[in-house]
Amino acid sequence: MDPTPPTAQNINNPNSELKNALFIIAGVISAAFGLESFLLSSHFIDGGVTGVSMLLAAAFRLPLSVLILVINLPFIALGYRQLGRRFALRSALGIGGLALVLAFVHFPDITSDRLLTAVFGGVFIGAGIGLAMRGGAVLDGTEIAALLVSRYLVLLKVSDLILILNVVIFSVAVLVLGTEPALYSMLTYFAAARVLEFVLNGIEQYTGVTIVSEHSDAIRKVITEKLGRGVTMYQGKSGYGKRGEMGIERDIVFTVVTRLELPGLRTAVQEVDPQAFIVQYRIDDAQGGIIKKRALH
């Protein structure tokens, strides 16, 4: 799967082990439900290590539960030093739990519609992997493998490696499953990736905003007093522009808002200075300052 790979900092500082366990259990059930009730009967696959396991199960008639366990555990062992003992233990239990549920719990087949199967199979798998990651574990070793390989291939980012791996997986799926199931499987992967991102980041995904303006103090007051958000001011100098200004000192405003608050921020800034230069970029997580806590934290 895609999204953000786990790090030692965010998976080894849990709020409570009970909450982690509940997240992992919910993740295991959701992922197993997505696999059994949607994908397996239609011969669709997901991306990552789970997809590799499903391909091998389809090609060689091997039990999926065993393959998920056998293929994932080496990645957990490789990531032990980088991500910590607690992470490795939680992930091993989560993957083992997923294998056990697939082996002994049988969910009903929900629909025969291929489009619904692809989309909702991805929804439940993405939710399951995301919930497990919220509990400090992974149900798919792809992120760990990409994280470790990226340390030696400095020209490729983790997301690049995950993309390359999934391109290979779905290319092989065309040969093993056929073109149409492979295309539906890609749709499953995209649905899972989007839901995973939503589970990890929530509806209140944070956005960093940098504002350069001659009226920086007025903008600061609007953000702090009207919008109720914190700001950081730092000093910069203008370069060459349309007005030919260079080297003029100017205060720069930086703030962090949720994506729901972003339109209101842009409108407020434009009312103060229609010529303000605004740069925004996604932030995966933020804490401290005037930041609201997310519901699932």
Side-chain angles (χ1 to χ4, degrees):
M1 290 304 304
D2 170 24
T4 309
T7 63
Q9 184 176 3
N10 60 29
I11 59 182
N12 286 327
N13 289 290
N15 293 331
S16 72
E17 289 302 325
L18 176 60
K19 183 185 291 187
N20 288 335
L22 292 175
F23 274 132
I24 295 171
I25 291 171
V28 166
I29 294 173
S30 179
F33 180 73
L35 289 169
E36 283 226 354
S37 293
F38 294 96
L39 300 190
L40 294 181
S41 61
S42 298
H43 304 289
F44 297 164
I45 66 169
D46 187 26
V49 174
T50 303
V52 173
S53 303
M54 297 174 78
L55 271 179
L56 292 175
F60 299 105
R61 308 292 181 183
L62 298 172
L64 177 62
S65 57
V66 174
L67 288 171
I68 284 180
L69 186 65
V70 170
I71 297 175
N72 270 299
L73 287 182
F75 295 115
I76 302 301
L78 287 173
Y80 174 86
R81 285 193 174 186
Q82 301 294 331
L83 302 172
R85 182 178 64 183
R86 286 189 294 182
F87 160 76
L89 178 60
R90 292 192 206 108
S91 296
L93 291 175
I95 292 169
L98 177 61
L100 289 174
V101 172
L102 288 174
F104 298 107
V105 180
H106 299 288
F107 297 99
D109 193 14
I110 300 299
T111 179
S112 59
D113 185 281
R114 294 188 134 198
L115 181 60
L116 291 177
T117 294
V119 172
F120 283 95
V123 166
F124 282 102
I125 292 173
I129 294 175
L131 288 169
M133 291 180 73
R134 296 299 292 265
V138 294
L139 299 182
D140 189 295
T142 308
E143 288 83 6
I144 301 173
L147 181 65
L148 296 176
V149 173
S150 67
R151 295 177 183 271
Y152 301 97
L153 299 177
V154 294
L155 296 179
L156 294 176
K157 298 183 294 184
V158 173
S159 57
D160 296 331
L161 291 168
I162 292 174
L163 177 61
I164 292 171
L165 173 62
N166 284 308
V167 167
V168 173
I169 291 171
F170 290 120
S171 298
V172 175
V174 172
L175 301 176
V176 176
L177 305 176
T179 302
E180 193 169 287
L183 292 175
Y184 276 114
S185 297
M186 293 179 195
L187 184 58
T188 296
Y189 172 74
F190 292 137
R194 295 302 298 169
V195 173
L196 171 57
E197 181 182 2
F198 178 81
V199 172
L200 292 178
N201 297 320
I203 194 170
E204 291 190 331
Q205 184 180 44
Y206 295 115
T207 300
V209 182
T210 299
I211 306 164
V212 182
S213 169
E214 296 175 355
H215 307 283
S216 56
D217 193 60
I219 291 173
R220 175 190 63 81
K221 289 180 180 179
V222 167
I223 295 173
T224 56
E225 296 175 7
K226 183 179 178 180
L227 302 180
R229 304 302 272 172
V231 301
T232 296
M233 307 287 290
Y234 57 96
Q235 198 172 73
K237 289 185 178 182
S238 62
Y240 285 106
K242 289 183 179 180
R243 289 169 290 186
E245 300 171 346
M246 185 183 73
I248 297 177
E249 292 188 353
R250 189 164 293 161
D251 287 333
I252 299 171
V253 182
F254 173 77
T255 187
V256 176
V257 296
T258 68
R259 59 184 173 187
L260 296 180
E261 296 169 320
L262 186 58
L265 171 66
R266 295 179 66 92
T267 299
V269 172
Q270 291 294 320
E271 289 175 353
V272 175
D273 181 8
Q275 301 299 320
F277 179 60
I278 304 174
V279 181
Q280 64 186 60
Y281 40 90
R282 171 179 145 179
I283 295 176
D284 289 331
D285 201 0
Q287 65 180 19
I290 307 178
I291 295 290
K292 300 179 204 173
K293 287 187 177 180
R294 291 181 183 149
L296 289 178
H297 273 295

